[in-house]
Amino acid sequence: MCSSIFVTGEAKSPSNNPITNQFGLFFIGLVIDTDTHRILDAECTATLALTNTFVRSLIVGASIEEEESLAEQISVRYHGSSQRALITALHNAATKYRCATTKT
């Protein structure tokens, strides 16, 4: 039986950011194993492929239950203009994950 789910989180990105011009908002998509709470895959609405690769390296393999630790890692290691949007979108996705997994 498949035990992974897909959740998204969104946040406003800075008005001068190309992400805002291209997508309107910053989105992150996460595939999470509901048995282990580990993030299996991640992708965000970045305009640079390198951004997606780096964000994925920060998030994949971590537990969504360690949201505060993930946010701290992003604050320390990700210095793109969407840092705050990434943290907010991650928080939004974690909230959706908790809602989805407590319903089942």
Side-chain angles (χ1 to χ4, degrees):
M1 184 167 160
C2 186
S3 62
S4 62
I5 65 172
F6 177 79
V7 294
T8 61
E10 60 274 349
K12 282 187 168 182
S13 52
S15 61
N16 63 345
N17 189 309
I19 292 170
T20 304
N21 293 330
Q22 189 170 351
F23 302 108
L25 289 171
F26 183 90
F27 288 91
I28 190 166
L30 305 173
V31 177
I32 304 170
D33 185 319
T34 56
D35 291 335
T36 64
H37 311 292
R38 295 275 169 210
I39 299 168
L40 303 174
D41 203 359
E43 190 167 347
C44 62
T45 53
T47 53
L48 302 173
L50 181 59
T51 303
N52 253 319
T53 301
F54 189 75
V55 167
R56 188 175 287 125
S57 76
L58 289 174
I59 294 175
V60 171
S63 171
I64 194 67
E65 292 185 324
E66 297 170 357
E67 179 189 342
E68 293 303 318
S69 175
L70 277 170
E72 186 176 323
Q73 280 293 310
I74 292 166
S75 293
V76 170
R77 298 186 58 205
Y78 180 87
H79 296 280
S81 60
S82 298
Q83 181 192 65
R84 190 175 204 157
L86 175 57
I87 292 169
T88 301
L90 179 67
H91 174 71
N92 186 267
T95 300
K96 287 181 181 177
Y97 175 77
R98 285 190 292 276
C99 287
T101 55
T102 56
K103 287 180 182 175
T104 56

